[in-house]
Every structure is written in C-alpha cells, then in structure tokens.
Amino acid sequence: DKFNFTNYALYRIVPKNIEELTTLHSMIHTNNKDLDFFDEPVNVDGLVSVVTSPGYRKTFDEILKANEIYAEVTIENIQVVIDKERIGKYAHRNVRSMTWDAYYTFEDIYSWLDDVAASNSDVVSLIYGGMSYEGREIKGVKISHGIGRRSIFIEGGIHAREWISYATVNYIINELVYSEDPETQAAARDFDWYIFPCTNPDGYVWTHTDFRLWRKNRKPVGTEFGIDLNRNWNSNWLLKSSSTDPSSNTYAGIGPFSEIEARTLASYIESVADTMEMYLSFHSSGQLLMVPYGNTTDPLDNYYDTIKIGRRAMGSLAVRHGTPYITGNIAEAIYEATGTSVDWVKEKLRIPLTYCYELRDRGQYGHLLPADQILPNSEEVMDSVLALIREGQNAE
Ligand code: VAL
C-alpha cells in the first residue's frame, strides 16, 4: 500500500549561524520517520529542506521557536502536491508518447529506451550498466555515430525520489537522438554517449508503488531497508556525511561497493573509461553544479579549470529562463560527503570533466518538483551540457 503523506509539511530553513545549524543537525538521526531531511544540514547559510510528520510537527515548531530558528513552510500538506504529480502513460512503440510534462514509471522509461534504440538502430544501442538487488537491469543507451570518438557518460537517478533527474536524463537522450538544432546534432555526432537514466531501479519503483520519498536502494538490512548508493563508492568511504545506521538516509553500507548497483555500475564505467572526457551525475535539488571532491574544500586536481568551465556553462544555463546555479566543489557548494560516484570517477578513473548537478529548485518543492517544470528545467540543462562541451574544448 502506498504511504499517505497527508499533512506532512515541507519546511525551508536557512541556518544563520553555527548554533542553529547544530540544533538542526542534532535532529537528523533522532527520529527520521518523523523528520526527513532532503539533504543533511551542514552549512551556515545553506538550504535545508525537511519534511515533518503531522504528529511531530508541533514538537518541531516548538524546537524551532525555542531556538529562534526562522522557518518557512513551503508546502502545508505534501500529499496534495503528490496527488497532483502528473504520471504519463507511455504508449509502446510510439517514441513520441513520452512527453516532457509528466513523470514516467520505471517500466515506461525502459520501454521507451527499447523503442528509441530499435527505431534508431544505426546510432543507438541498448547497454547494461549492471544489476539491482531485486534483479532489475541498469539499462541505458549508447549513442554513437562511428568509431574513434571520445565519450561522455551520464548517470541519473541514483537517488530514487529525485524524479527530475530521471526526466532530465531522458530529455537529454531525446535531444541527442531527435533534435534538429545543429549544435546538439554536432554534440551527438562528435562524442560517444553512455547514458543511464535509472541507476537505482528498485528505489525508483518503490517511489511509485509505496513510498514517494524513498532515496536509497531496497536491500533489507535487519529490520531496515536500503543503502545510500551515493555513499557506497570506494572513495573515502564513510568519511563524511555518511551513516553506519541502516535506518539513516545516508547509510553507507557495510563496506565500499557492498551494493550491487554501485559495484556493477562502477565496473561498467571503468570498462569504458579509456575514451571518457566528461562524466555527469544528476541529482536534485538546490540548483548547484559541483565538482569533486566532497571530503575537502581544497582545490584539488584541475579544480580551477573545471570551476571556470562550470561557471561559464551555468551562465549559458541561465540565459534561457534566468535560473541561477551556483558552482563549487561538493564540500563548498553543498556539504562534505564521501563515497559518491563523482569522487570515485575523478579519483580512480581521472576523468577530467566530472560534474554533479543538483537540479531545480531551491526549496519550494524540493524532490516534489511539479511536472510543468520538467521542460524548462531540461531545456536549460541541455543548454548547459552543450556549453560544458564547448567550454571544455576551448580550455584544451
Ligand atoms: N546531494 C548529493 C548527495 O547527497 C551530493 C552530495 C552529491 O549525495
């Protein structure tokens, strides 16, 4: 049965000082069924989105009041927003029935990938990046117009509830295959593209069938479920913003690559890493473009180059709809976090242009971004991906 979020409220808080931050942070593991932080509150002036249960709301309000923490309730009853979420219905063998004003289920996304590959078999092939705990494939597409090309890798949907990630990555596939824009066509032709919209299949299915705000995979751990697949990679594993508590949203697992999704995907990425020039990972939310690393704010590797390229690309992103994005490394832009896919890709595979997006918005809806924002969000992101390619080449 689907979990009902009636009278669960979404709060938007920007902690003004260390005391406020500490208060919020101390609540993160106390009762995560009643208080679901969309992201860990670890930065003064950083955005904190948190969902409270109806039963806990009064207590939460009292704690905020006692500590003089200003909070804005952006959604009084998130079930109302969830009920309005548009879920499209994909009509098999009609690739045009996937539209950009609705979210799609796991089954529909995979059918669409099948059909895009089948109807463009000269350039699009299905690829398998690994397996999930419940036995689903991590399916994607390779777009290639010939041999000898450098490549770009795109990973979407590693966090199940971040639905805009899946939709954005599908949009990028669609543009690369069907766009008539010359620059998009050139990007499609000039690179081999490895694209996986759904790298956490079990979690994504669960968000549709049972619990809309599920983040992790679905492996049982004692009486709890799920490992955070973006804390499970073998790069500074368990060092920062990672939990050893299986009930936590950032539970990192019993060891690096304990999870089949992260482990199989990593070996697939490694197998195609030779030609790889750029790696993009898509999350929500917060409107950020991040580069590795998450364990330190030190400007490591080609930090200055990637930040410059990234800032210019975010300039291009803002042209279309005026959406502001902030660029920085993970630790400075959002918070210290380790065991993430992008840190592993950068540290172990040395992919020069490795970026992680936090897509729209800035706390209004968070992971419940309404479907009418899929298109503008995806358009501006596509603009920025082309700009990353352009600026990356200029920098060489
Ligand atoms: N928000 C993402 C995460 O928590 C970042 C840190 C990559 O995994």
Side-chain angles (χ1 to χ4, degrees):
D1 254 16
K2 255 194 205 176
F3 186 88
N4 191 294
F5 286 96
T6 298
N7 291 330
Y8 280 66
L10 178 64
Y11 283 62
R12 182 183 192 280
I13 305 169
V14 180
K16 291 189 295 293
N17 52 49
I18 270 289
E19 289 71 35
E20 295 193 4
L21 189 61
T22 310
T23 306
L24 291 168
H25 197 263
S26 70
M27 287 188 265
I28 198 174
H29 298 309
T30 49
N31 184 351
N32 50 34
K33 303 279 180 284
D34 286 323
L35 216 46
D36 179 357
F37 286 87
F38 278 1
D39 274 305
E40 191 177 341
V42 285
N43 278 329
V44 170
D45 293 330
L47 175 65
V48 178
S49 291
V50 55
V51 171
T52 60
S53 70
Y56 192 70
R57 189 163 167 191
K58 197 162 159 272
T59 312
F60 186 55
D61 283 340
E62 280 162 12
I63 297 172
L64 294 175
K65 196 159 173 242
N67 291 278
E68 294 177 359
I69 298 174
Y70 175 75
E72 182 191 345
V73 178
T74 62
I75 308 177
E76 287 285 345
N77 178 358
I78 66 173
Q79 188 59 44
V80 171
V81 174
I82 291 170
D83 289 341
K84 282 194 202 136
E85 278 184 315
R86 249 199 100 202
I87 315 293
K89 192 75 207 103
Y90 177 69
H92 288 237
R93 280 183 275 286
N94 175 8
V95 288
R96 295 290 171 185
S97 70
M98 157 87 62
T99 57
W100 313 106
D101 57 359
Y103 293 104
Y104 288 85
T105 62
F106 172 79
E107 289 74 20
D108 279 355
I109 291 173
Y110 274 24
S111 301
W112 178 73
L113 293 177
D114 291 344
D115 293 344
V116 171
S119 46
N120 299 274
S121 55
D122 45 338
V123 285
V124 184
S125 49
L126 293 171
I127 49 178
Y128 297 92
M131 287 296 282
S132 75
Y133 176 78
E134 292 174 353
R136 297 184 176 88
E137 279 159 339
I138 297 176
K139 182 151 76 175
V141 291
K142 178 179 179 184
I143 301 171
S144 176
H145 286 255
I147 56 162
R149 283 151 168 82
R150 293 161 302 157
S151 65
I152 297 174
F153 197 103
I154 296 184
E155 162 226 303
I158 206 167
H159 285 148
R161 62 192 181 181
E162 299 168 13
W163 283 11
I164 189 59
S165 170
Y166 301 74
T168 305
V169 173
N170 289 335
Y171 181 89
I172 293 171
I173 294 171
N174 194 68
E175 283 296 289
L176 291 171
V177 176
Y178 296 110
S179 172
E180 283 168 10
D181 166 62
E183 195 183 357
T184 308
Q185 290 181 339
R189 271 196 314 272
D190 292 349
F191 292 89
D192 282 348
W193 295 78
Y194 298 91
I195 310 184
F196 293 95
C198 187
T199 56
N200 178 6
D202 303 346
Y204 190 58
V205 169
W206 194 250
T207 62
H208 283 268
T209 58
D210 284 80
F211 194 83
R212 174 63 183 86
L213 292 180
W214 194 255
R215 165 178 164 112
K216 305 183 285 181
N217 76 356
R218 285 294 304 165
K219 187 162 89 175
V221 190
T223 56
E224 296 291 339
F225 285 88
I227 287 85
D228 184 349
L229 294 177
N230 209 32
R231 296 292 179 278
N232 191 242
W233 297 59
N234 189 16
S235 168
N236 291 312
W237 179 78
L238 203 63
L239 201 64
K240 300 280 182 177
S241 176
S242 301
S243 176
T244 54
D245 171 3
S247 76
S248 163
N249 255 335
T250 53
Y251 175 52
I254 54 167
F257 287 141
S258 59
E259 297 318 293
I260 188 168
E261 294 89 350
R263 185 172 69 243
T264 54
L265 183 61
S267 68
Y268 183 85
I269 298 167
E270 201 163 7
S271 75
V272 296
D274 276 3
T275 54
M276 205 182 296
E277 189 147 304
M278 182 148 80
Y279 185 96
L280 304 177
S281 166
F282 287 97
H283 287 254
S284 71
S285 59
Q287 294 169 204
L288 307 170
L289 182 72
M290 298 171 292
V291 302
Y293 291 89
N295 63 313
T296 172
T297 54
D298 291 349
L300 301 181
D301 296 351
N302 58 349
Y303 173 89
Y304 292 104
D305 285 341
T306 53
I307 290 291
K308 188 172 77 187
I309 293 164
R311 289 223 170 99
R312 290 188 175 162
M314 293 307 103
S316 298
L317 184 150
V319 169
R320 197 182 279 258
H321 301 294
T323 311
Y325 269 63
I326 291 168
T327 305
N329 83 10
I330 293 174
E332 66 188 349
I334 183 165
Y335 46 72
E336 290 183 325
T338 62
T340 64
S341 62
V342 288
D343 273 13
W344 182 83
V345 162
K346 184 85 174 194
E347 184 193 343
K348 309 289 186 199
L349 305 180
R350 317 304 307 169
I351 307 308
L353 300 174
T354 299
Y355 292 98
C356 179
Y357 282 74
E358 295 284 356
L359 300 166
R360 290 190 187 192
D361 52 15
R362 291 269 308 145
Q364 189 65 37
Y365 292 97
H367 306 315
L368 301 173
L369 192 74
D372 63 7
Q373 292 198 46
I374 295 172
L375 184 60
N377 162 84
S378 301
E379 288 171 340
E380 68 198 9
V381 168
M382 189 68 212
D383 291 343
S384 76
V385 171
L386 297 177
L388 284 173
I389 294 172
R390 212 163 52 228
E391 298 294 342
Q393 275 161 347
N394 289 343
E396 271 165 15

